[in-house]
Amino acid sequence: MGAVLAAVLGASLVGCSSTGGKRAEERAKAAQAGRPAVSTPRWTFAMVTHAGDGDTFWDIVQKGAKEAAAKDNINFVYAHDDQAQQQAQFVQNAIDQKVDGIVVSLAKPEALKDVIAKAVKAGIPVITVNSGSAQSAEYGALTHIGQDEQIAGEAVGSELTKRGKKKAVCVLHEQGNVGHEQRCAGAKKTFGGVMENLYVEGTNMPSVQAAIQAKLQADPSVDAIVTLGAPFAPTAVKAKDAAGSKAEVDTFDLNESVARDLKSGALGFAVDQQPYLQGYEAIDLLWLYRYNADVLGGGRPVLTGPQIVTADEAGKLEEFIKRGSR
Amino acid sequence: MSTATAVDERLAPTSLVRKLLGRPELGAVVGAAAVFVFFSFAAPSFLQASSLSTILYSASTIGIMACPVALLMIGGEFDLSAGVMVTTSALVSSMFSYQMTANVWVGVGVSLLVTLAIGFFNGFMLTRTKLPSFIITLGTFLMLTGLNLGFTKLISGSVSTKTIADMEGFSSARALFASQWNVGSVTLKVTILWWLALVAVATWILLRTRAGNWIFAVGGGADAARATGVPVVKTRIGLYMGVALCAWISGQHILFSFDVVQSGEGVGNEFLYIIAAVIGGCLMTGGYGSAIGSAVGAFIFGMTSNGIVYAQWNPDWFKFFLGAMLLLATLLNAWVRKRAEAK
């Protein structure tokens, strides 16, 4: 065993890659210090979301929130669960801890209605993020920060129409997700051509590729594919190439490979709802409310998207995407 | 002394038909043929060569894992950690190469050691504790799911790995694990070759080697096997390491095919492998089954999941269709086997 380990370590010393990797990242990374910029008391803000384990999108939201918390001298606590009941429990925990502010996402609004009312009654300011724009004000939240899924979908539909597409496929990677359905429904509404839904198994990449490939082979008239998450866009491009289709692939959300594919022209456009901004603004607005009684939006949701990103912007955004804030 | 001794019936030559009827995968082959014929009529684009290559690719990614899982089931055990182990293996290669700025092949090698160690852990814990494999591998499943997420977040700072496509060794590793050839309009993936090779090796082990006899013996009854001198512990650990080896192959395919790995992937796939093995004639109780059967099971799964798309059915009902088709294929399989045994 020791010999094997030594061999591996030895191999890793001689087997270095002169391109890419962490060394390249470190070389490129500028030193950034996360020191508080204000001298307000160290308040505690809790953020409770409906993110599942290992969700790229929510990871960026959390990163935005953390960086705002560092700047605002906030003690930031985070909890998440995709089951609404557990999410409500986490909000209750935050109330019990007498936190100074709560940020919550409302994917299943009814399940959280009571516990948010409790928080408001206990005098804790609440800000909703991402989903739940319709219920936010009614439940007593100060502000809602996020992108309306329907509006985001509509932006995609109009962009596809503008690009002269006739037949599009909307790829849903999570069956039964309300936000996903709204996105595709929105796109369908403003799209001049025909749009069909395709459900794929999001936790199994090869099967995602095979399903998209199968769809394109079954219907060669498809000229646009829309994926609802960044990790699925490069897979859709692979499926398109393998099927010998000329369809344009477009996507919601950004990541490193999406930026690269946008730049190279393999992807048409991406719709970004700026998750970093959702986390950052939520914490910053809670701080502003505590410090200065500021409220944004006047009871209406503050939209963080949709922003259409094409090859022109992708280059500029690439470094921000790489550091995980876009 | 009489010269005319009656021929022992066990030594009597059996006809080819009888031999075929006794094979565990017979039912699955009939089921596969039924599914094939069904979609040939239901979906106009199903029979295109390019469609069939898509189905083969889909089947191969399930089949590479269904093969060792079938062997494990013949040996009487389950592995619920098989799905996330694939993701673990991909994450380890990717992150090791990236963090150490090492040649990609170094990460691939480290990943092989780590994945085999997980397989050894499963087998070792099972034989040591004598707990059911359901509990042991459920524990491994949960731990790996947590480790995948925790380590990826800790090391990469996000829930997916960073791209290693620009690193040395990537293109040669991609050639081995994720290359493809264009034959006319058809794209054939290297996973199909891996799949066929694994099934061939597994079949050879099962039917032609001593280890194969051990696997059947251990699955049929561990105590009886031990009494006749079969190394039960070694066989079981070996079977789990076989699953780990194939998880490594699958994991490398996913890494080099999709470049970036999401830490949450793989959950639930262990059931697909078990389903493919069961459709292919493996008994849930062990001691019976075949590697070829697992391949036919994976093929049925590939045909069904993609056939539904080719048939352009209302996607809201996708999961229902999938479940119903699998259940029908399995029922037909069981019926054919019963008829064959009655003969």
Side-chain angles (χ1 to χ4, degrees):
Chain A
M1 201 65 202
V4 173
L5 198 65
V8 168
L9 288 176
S12 64
L13 287 179
V14 294
C16 280
S17 170
S18 59
T19 51
K22 192 183 177 81
R23 205 177 295 156
E25 179 192 335
E26 280 171 347
R27 233 180 270 143
K29 200 199 245 167
Q32 290 164 326
R35 254 179 254 112
V38 294
S39 56
T40 45
R42 193 161 175 80
W43 291 312
T44 298
F45 293 166
M47 184 169 193
V48 182
T49 71
H50 67 274
D53 280 339
D55 187 311
T56 324
F57 178 89
W58 283 102
D59 205 45
I60 302 173
V61 176
Q62 199 188 336
K63 185 156 187 159
K66 267 188 182 159
E67 290 188 5
K71 184 203 70 176
D72 292 341
N73 192 27
I74 297 298
N75 175 30
F76 175 72
V77 280
Y78 181 77
H80 69 98
D81 202 295
D82 49 9
Q83 304 291 320
Q85 194 194 353
Q86 187 58 40
Q87 206 198 339
Q89 185 60 48
F90 284 141
V91 177
Q92 181 62 50
N93 294 153
I95 298 170
D96 298 342
Q97 289 169 50
K98 300 195 170 58
V99 297
D100 303 289
I102 293 175
V103 181
V104 62
S105 66
L106 299 181
K108 288 155 190 152
E110 292 76 21
L112 290 156
K113 188 176 183 180
D114 292 347
V115 78
I116 290 174
K118 265 191 206 167
V120 173
K121 208 175 156 206
I124 302 172
V126 175
I127 286 184
T128 57
V129 286
N130 187 252
S131 34
S133 56
Q135 291 82 7
S136 178
E138 183 198 328
Y139 288 5
L142 295 179
T143 305
H144 177 83
I145 298 158
Q147 158 186 265
D148 189 284
E149 301 289 15
Q150 180 87 21
I151 293 175
E154 285 169 14
V156 169
S158 349
E159 182 72 20
L160 287 173
T161 313
K162 211 165 79 189
R163 287 166 180 252
K165 299 299 172 198
K166 297 278 174 282
K167 186 155 196 192
V169 174
C170 197
V171 183
L172 298 96
H173 57 268
E174 218 182 283
Q175 198 162 12
N177 181 317
V178 182
H180 289 184
E181 298 286 348
Q182 285 172 342
R183 285 179 174 186
C184 290
K188 204 173 206 164
K189 195 174 142 195
T190 53
F191 180 43
V194 184
M195 177 165 269
E196 283 175 6
N197 286 2
L198 174 70
Y199 294 100
V200 296
E201 205 66 55
T203 53
N204 186 347
M205 259 323 169
S207 90
V208 172
Q209 182 181 339
I212 298 173
Q213 228 165 291
K215 181 74 189 176
L216 291 172
Q217 286 161 341
D219 189 350
S221 67
V222 171
D223 57 5
I225 309 162
V226 180
T227 58
L228 299 188
F232 304 99
T235 306
V237 171
K238 279 200 184 71
K240 176 198 93 170
D241 293 342
S245 160
K246 293 267 179 294
E248 174 183 289
V249 181
D250 307 303
T251 188
F252 283 82
D253 301 346
L254 293 173
N255 71 10
E256 220 180 313
S257 4
V258 166
R260 199 182 53 214
D261 286 354
L262 279 170
K263 254 170 80 181
S264 74
L267 289 174
F269 65 90
V271 186
D272 190 19
Q273 58 169 309
Q274 309 192 78
Y276 183 87
L277 197 56
Q278 293 183 1
Y280 189 93
E281 283 297 291
I283 295 297
D284 219 23
L285 286 178
L286 274 179
W287 180 83
L288 278 167
Y289 178 77
R290 280 269 166 207
Y291 174 67
N292 207 28
D294 283 328
V295 178
L296 204 62
R300 282 168 184 270
V302 178
L303 299 184
T304 58
Q307 188 199 21
I308 303 247
V309 181
T310 57
D312 303 334
E313 294 93 10
K316 191 173 64 191
L317 295 182
E318 205 174 15
E319 98 182 72
F320 308 141
I321 294 166
K322 259 194 179 150
R323 74 175 181 204
S325 60
R326 275 305 291 257
Chain B
M1 262 217 177
S2 96
T3 48
T5 43
V7 180
D8 188 331
E9 56 154 19
R10 287 171 299 182
L11 295 177
T14 45
S15 71
L16 187 65
V17 179
R18 266 198 96 84
K19 257 188 198 158
L20 278 177
L21 284 175
R23 300 288 310 149
E25 59 272 3
L26 172 76
V29 171
V30 175
V35 172
F36 187 86
V37 170
F38 176 78
F39 278 115
S40 303
F41 286 103
S45 46
F46 185 79
L47 283 178
Q48 291 172 149
S50 56
S51 305
L52 292 176
S53 75
T54 305
I55 290 166
L56 272 181
Y57 169 61
S58 185
S60 70
T61 59
I62 300 288
I64 286 176
M65 286 306 288
C67 179
V69 166
L71 256 57
L72 184 68
M73 284 179 71
I74 296 170
E77 305 294 346
F78 288 100
D79 190 348
L80 298 180
S81 67
V84 284
M85 206 196 292
V86 171
T87 311
T88 304
S89 141
L91 288 172
V92 169
S93 337
S94 171
M95 288 196 291
F96 190 90
S97 307
Y98 188 87
Q99 294 302 320
M100 299 291 161
T101 320
N103 186 302
V104 169
W105 281 102
V106 179
V108 170
V110 171
S111 166
L112 175 63
L113 293 181
V114 171
T115 317
L116 284 178
I118 298 168
F120 179 82
F121 173 82
N122 274 336
F124 183 75
M125 288 297 282
L126 181 88
T127 48
R128 261 306 163 87
T129 61
K130 308 248 186 319
L131 286 171
S133 59
F134 187 89
I135 300 295
I136 300 279
T137 59
L138 186 63
T140 319
F141 161 77
L142 289 171
M143 287 194 292
L144 286 182
T145 312
L147 285 174
N148 283 355
L149 182 59
F151 262 122
T152 311
K153 196 89 193 278
L154 191 70
I155 293 172
S156 304
S158 79
V159 292
S160 60
T161 63
K162 308 222 156 105
T163 174
I164 58 164
D166 56 350
M167 295 180 69
E168 280 173 16
F170 186 86
S171 51
S172 55
R174 166 174 267 178
L176 180 63
F177 292 110
S179 55
Q180 56 188 45
W181 301 275
N182 293 316
V183 185
S185 67
V186 182
T187 309
L188 285 177
K189 305 265 189 181
V190 74
T191 46
I192 299 170
L193 293 184
W194 278 103
W195 179 36
L196 295 178
L198 281 170
V199 171
V201 170
T203 304
W204 175 76
I205 290 175
L206 271 183
L207 301 180
R208 289 273 177 273
T209 69
R210 206 156 54 140
N213 286 332
W214 291 345
I215 294 171
F216 279 109
V218 168
D223 292 329
R226 195 176 288 110
T228 52
V230 172
V232 175
V233 171
K234 227 167 83 180
T235 308
R236 282 194 172 140
I237 292 179
L239 285 171
Y240 275 105
M241 289 180 76
V243 175
L245 177 72
C246 294
W248 174 74
I249 297 171
S250 293
Q252 305 314 300
H253 167 67
I254 288 176
L255 171 61
F256 291 106
S257 185
F258 301 103
D259 179 13
V260 171
V261 189
Q262 302 272 313
S263 57
E265 267 180 46
V267 176
N269 289 356
E270 57 278 356
F271 292 113
L272 304 188
Y273 312 147
I274 294 174
I275 290 170
V278 171
I279 294 178
C282 288
L283 288 186
M284 302 286 280
T285 46
Y288 187 81
S290 77
I292 296 174
S294 78
V296 181
F299 187 56
I300 291 182
F301 196 86
M303 281 194 293
T304 314
S305 56
N306 294 296
I308 291 167
V309 182
Y310 287 121
Q312 311 234 34
W313 288 339
N314 181 347
D316 294 345
W317 298 85
F318 179 81
K319 288 270 174 70
F320 174 79
F321 289 137
L322 191 61
M325 291 296 295
L326 287 175
L327 203 56
L328 280 174
T330 319
L331 280 175
L332 181 65
N333 171 354
W335 180 76
V336 170
R337 197 190 307 151
K338 209 177 243 169
R339 296 287 300 236
E341 278 164 5
K343 283 252 168 76

